[in-house]
Structure formats: structure tokens, C-alpha cells
């Protein structure tokens, strides 16, 4: 058996919005696999949320409880994993200051998300902190010496930069920090209601926290194969987002649905009704758990404060070794 410290996982999300099926079938599916969850660290990245929402601290504060509810409802087990709040772990910010000293600015400017996000969100987000986003993310991971980072593929460029920074650090100061590897979900991208990738910024999501009626309504409005206009027209399931969602929650019926769509025996209205039913029953226990947990804020606080304490203990060991290697502090 592998030493558990060899396979330690760490990941995080920003408390900036409601989680949706893209998260549930992607990253959260990875997080909740028993092998990833045992001893893992999962972070509510509230400092990272300030890179885009710095003018709205109340929103960030409120969203952190929503994020925690989504995680717990989806099956993240606080008895197996350590769930913590980034801003409660000062060691992360300390490591960020230290690693900033050896990180060439050009490395950060080369990260593709940097220019893309500024183009998408405007010059107000072009702060020093935003440029340093991938460094802070690396510190989240490195402070626990985590090896594996279960994330979406949009995070690959951050992890690649992260490994380069760690190599530079270890080159100067000895083998103190660990190079993290991404762990990608086996699920394909989850399509949103308009057929593009499900994403908050496209307003095409089905949220974990939505109710059954809202889910039904969103599915009814979904885009299907544009060539299938009347019920009996032959369809092309391979390009249909409704079909793709069937493959995720209705796997045993997928071959029959594909055949009947192609032959024209199955119309889009009936196909969507079936998807609504399957998806609603798949989500029902998750939504019930979310609702129940939301009634018990004291429990949520307990989970977070226990997690914060465990995370700080682990982080302070790493910082001790880092300070020793740099001959700083005491
Ligand atoms: N950047 C990640 C995202 O946008 C969130 C994140 C913050 C993260 N810190 C992390 C992910 C550490 C993995 C590990 O989804």
C-alpha cells in the first residue's frame, strides 16, 4: 500500500456562485470518490474570490455557506476530508509572500487565464492580487504538500506554472515542497441548457440548489438538434445536449433513446420529460440533504472550525520547514 502522504489530495473552489451540474458531475464527482476523499483538504477559496469581487465582501461571506452546503449535499464527507476556509489559514498567505520573491512576473503574465479574464471582465480586475492568482492557488496546495489536485481542465495552466515555481524553490532551498499533479474527471464537459459548456457566465446552468419545478422548466427550454423540428424527424443524438445529459443520469436507457431519436419514434418533448424525471430523482436526495443541512448553521460552523484547526496544524509544519530552509524567522 502506498503511504497516504504520497497520494494526498487538495482542491478548492471560490465562493462566488451556486454550484451546478457541471460541478456535480465533474469536479465534485472526483472529490467524493473514496480514494480522493480520505485525508484530502478541500478549501473555500474566499481570498481568491476577492480577485474579482473585492467590492462585495458581504456576497463572498454569504456565498461561503452556500458553497459548503453544496459540497456536503453532494457527498463530501467532513469526517474523511478536511474542509477549511482559506482566509483562516495565515500560513497560506505567508507562503505566498515568500514564493513571490522568487517568481518572475513574466511567468504570471504568460498564464492564458490572465489576459482572457481581463478581456472578459474588464480592467478593474487587473490588480496585483489578480496577477498573482495562480501563485496563491499554488500556496493552497503546497502548504499541505499535496500531490494530487482534482480539478477541471481549465486549471491545468495554473498547475503547470505551480510545478515550475516549486522546482525553482526546491532548486534554491532544498527538497522542501512537493510538485502537484492535476487529477481530471473522467466525465466529458456537461452541456448547459443552450448546448454550450454549462457555466455560470453563460447563464445556462441547472443548479444543485434549484427546485424540481425550476429544473423541469429549464429542461423544457433546452436546445436540441436544430434539424429535428417535428417529432418524427430523424434526430442526431450525438450533437444534442439533452441526449448528453441522458448519458449522465439515465445510462441504461441511453441506447434505446439514441435509436428512437434517430428513427423519429421519439420526439424532443417526450425525451425532455423523461430527462426531467430522471434528473429530478437523481438530485432529490442531494437537494433534501442540502435543505436539511441549511437548517443547522451551528453544525456548518462546527465543520468549518474543526477543519480550519486541522488545516492549520498541517500548514504550520510546512511553514516551519520553509522558514528553516530560508534561514528566516526563528
Ligand atoms: N482556481 C480554482 C477555480 O477557479 C479554485 C482554487 C483555489 C483551487 N485554490 C485552489 C483549486 C487550490 C485547486 C487547488 O476553480
Amino acid at each position: 500500500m502506498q503511504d497516504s502522504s504520497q497520494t494526498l489530495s487538495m482542491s478548492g473552489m471560490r465562493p462566488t456562485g451556486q454550484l451546478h451540474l457541471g460541478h456535480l458531475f465533474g469536479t465534485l464527482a472526483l472529490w467524493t470518490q473514496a480514494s480522493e476523499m480520505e485525508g484530502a483538504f478541500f478549501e473555500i477559496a474566499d481570498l481568491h474570490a476577492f480577485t474579482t469581487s473585492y467590492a462585495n465582501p458581504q456576497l463572498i461571506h454569504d456565498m461561503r455557506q452556500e458553497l459548503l452546503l453544496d459540497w456536503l449535499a453532494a457527498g463530501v464527507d467532513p469526517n474523511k476530508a478536511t474542509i477549511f476556509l482559506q482566509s483562516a489559514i495565515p500560513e497560506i498567505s505567508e507562503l505566498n509572500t515568500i514564493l513571490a520573491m522568487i517568481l518572475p512576473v513574466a511567468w504570471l503574465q504568460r498564464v492564458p487565464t490572465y489576459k482572457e479574464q481581463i478581456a472578459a471582465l474588464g480592467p478593474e480586475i487587473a490588480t496585483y492580487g489578480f496577477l498573482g492568482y495562480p501563485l496563491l492557488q499554488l500556496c493552497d496546495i503546497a502548504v499541505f504538500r499535496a500531490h494530487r489536485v482534482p480539478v477541471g481542465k481549465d486549471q491545468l495552466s495554473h498547475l503547470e506554472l505551480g510545478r515550475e515555481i516549486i522546482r525553482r524553490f526546491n532548486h534554491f532551498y532544498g527538497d522542501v515542497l512537493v510538485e502537484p499533479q492535476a487529477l481530471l474527471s473522467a466525465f466529458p464537459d456537461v452541456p448547459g441548457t443552450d448546448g454550450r459548456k454549462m457555466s455560470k457566465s453563460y447563464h445556462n446552468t441547472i443548479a444543485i440548489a434549484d427546485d424540481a419545478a425550476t429544473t423541469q422548466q429549464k429542461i423544457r427550454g433546452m436546445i436540441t438538434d436544430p434539424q429535428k423540428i417535428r417529432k418524427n424527424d430523424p434526430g442526431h443524438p450525438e450533437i444534442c445536449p439533452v441526449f448528453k445529459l441522458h448519458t449522465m443520469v439515465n445510462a441504461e436507457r441511453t441506447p434505446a433513446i439514441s435509436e428512437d431519436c434517430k428513427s423519429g419514434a421519439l420526439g424532443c418533448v417526450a425525451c425532455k420529460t423523461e430527462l426531467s424525471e430522471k434528473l429530478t430523482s437523481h438530485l432529490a436526495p442531494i437537494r433534501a440533504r442540502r435543505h436539511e443541512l441549511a437548517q443547522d448553521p451551528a453544525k456548518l460552523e462546527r465543520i468549518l472550525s474543526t477543519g480550519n484547526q486541522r488545516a492549520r496544524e498541517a500548514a504550520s509544519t510546512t511553514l516551519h520547514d520553509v522558514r528553516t530552509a530560508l534561514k528566516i524567522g526563528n
Side-chain angles (χ1 to χ4, degrees):
M1 217 184 110
Q2 269 180 310
D3 173 359
S4 70
S5 68
Q6 289 300 301
T7 57
L8 190 71
S9 294
M10 188 279 156
S11 195
M13 292 185 193
R14 283 168 298 157
T16 51
Q18 288 184 322
L19 298 192
H20 50 68
L21 300 185
H23 300 105
L24 188 64
F25 296 140
T27 307
L28 284 174
L30 264 177
W31 286 18
T32 53
Q33 277 166 24
S35 56
E36 293 317 314
M37 198 144 51
E38 204 68 56
F41 289 88
F42 295 130
E43 173 193 271
I44 300 175
D46 60 342
L47 292 175
H48 274 116
F50 276 87
T51 58
T52 49
S53 305
Y54 54 80
N56 208 340
Q58 189 62 45
L59 177 78
I60 297 172
H61 180 270
D62 294 346
M63 288 316 297
R64 82 183 191 207
Q65 170 147 328
E66 297 301 306
L67 186 61
L68 182 56
L69 284 171
D70 280 333
W71 287 359
L72 298 172
V76 177
D77 181 348
N79 296 315
K80 292 189 176 143
T82 297
I83 300 175
F84 70 97
L85 185 66
Q86 185 180 35
S87 61
I89 316 299
E91 287 79 5
I92 292 172
S93 297
E94 185 180 354
L95 187 58
N96 190 64
T97 301
I98 293 171
L99 292 183
M101 304 308 163
I102 65 160
L103 172 54
V105 177
W107 290 17
L108 289 169
Q109 288 165 329
R110 271 205 303 267
V111 177
T113 48
Y114 177 64
K115 286 203 181 84
E116 279 164 26
Q117 291 274 85
I118 289 172
L121 301 173
E124 318 77 79
I125 70 154
T127 60
Y128 176 45
F130 183 69
L131 176 66
Y133 185 117
L135 174 62
L136 183 59
Q137 180 169 353
L138 172 67
C139 293
D140 296 335
I141 302 163
V143 87
F144 303 111
R145 292 177 165 125
H147 293 251
R148 292 204 292 211
V149 187
V151 281
K153 57 179 181 294
D154 58 324
Q155 300 297 308
L156 288 177
S157 63
H158 292 180
L159 286 172
E160 197 171 316
L161 170 67
R163 284 192 294 275
E164 285 174 40
I165 301 169
I166 298 279
R167 282 198 287 274
R168 192 164 159 87
F169 181 94
N170 286 349
H171 168 75
F172 288 134
Y173 311 112
D175 221 0
V176 179
L177 299 176
V178 170
E179 282 183 45
Q181 304 292 334
L183 187 73
L184 295 176
S185 152
F187 261 117
D189 279 343
V190 178
T193 51
D194 60 356
R196 292 186 288 175
K197 179 185 165 170
M198 190 175 284
S199 162
K200 187 179 72 156
S201 44
Y202 295 150
H203 305 287
N204 65 358
T205 64
I206 295 172
I208 295 175
D210 281 348
D211 58 25
T214 308
T215 306
Q216 254 162 32
Q217 194 192 335
K218 287 180 175 176
I219 289 176
R220 225 179 290 134
M222 274 185 82
I223 281 173
T224 56
D225 172 8
Q227 291 186 41
K228 191 170 165 76
I229 298 161
R230 282 172 298 267
K231 169 178 182 269
N232 302 112
D233 291 344
H236 304 84
E238 66 283 359
I239 59 152
C240 178
V242 172
F243 181 74
K244 200 153 178 191
L245 290 182
H246 272 292
T247 66
M248 295 175 178
V249 290
N250 197 14
E252 71 284 8
R253 282 265 304 136
T254 303
I257 291 171
S258 171
E259 203 173 299
D260 294 349
C261 169
K262 284 184 194 158
S263 74
L266 176 67
C268 295
V269 174
C271 183
K272 286 176 173 180
T273 304
E274 180 172 343
L275 176 63
S276 270
E277 282 163 9
K278 285 288 169 183
L279 188 58
T280 307
S281 64
H282 182 87
L283 294 175
I286 298 174
R287 288 170 168 168
R289 210 156 41 228
R290 197 183 191 288
H291 183 76
E292 192 187 311
L293 284 159
Q295 314 307 310
D296 196 351
K299 180 171 177 177
L300 299 175
E301 261 179 45
R302 255 192 332 270
I303 289 173
L304 214 46
S305 73
T306 310
N308 287 343
Q309 207 176 327
R310 282 210 295 259
R312 272 208 84 174
E313 277 166 29
S316 67
T317 309
T318 305
L319 258 292
H320 173 266
D321 296 349
V322 167
R323 285 194 215 101
T324 304
L326 270 76
K327 308 186 188 304
I328 59 171
N330 32 13

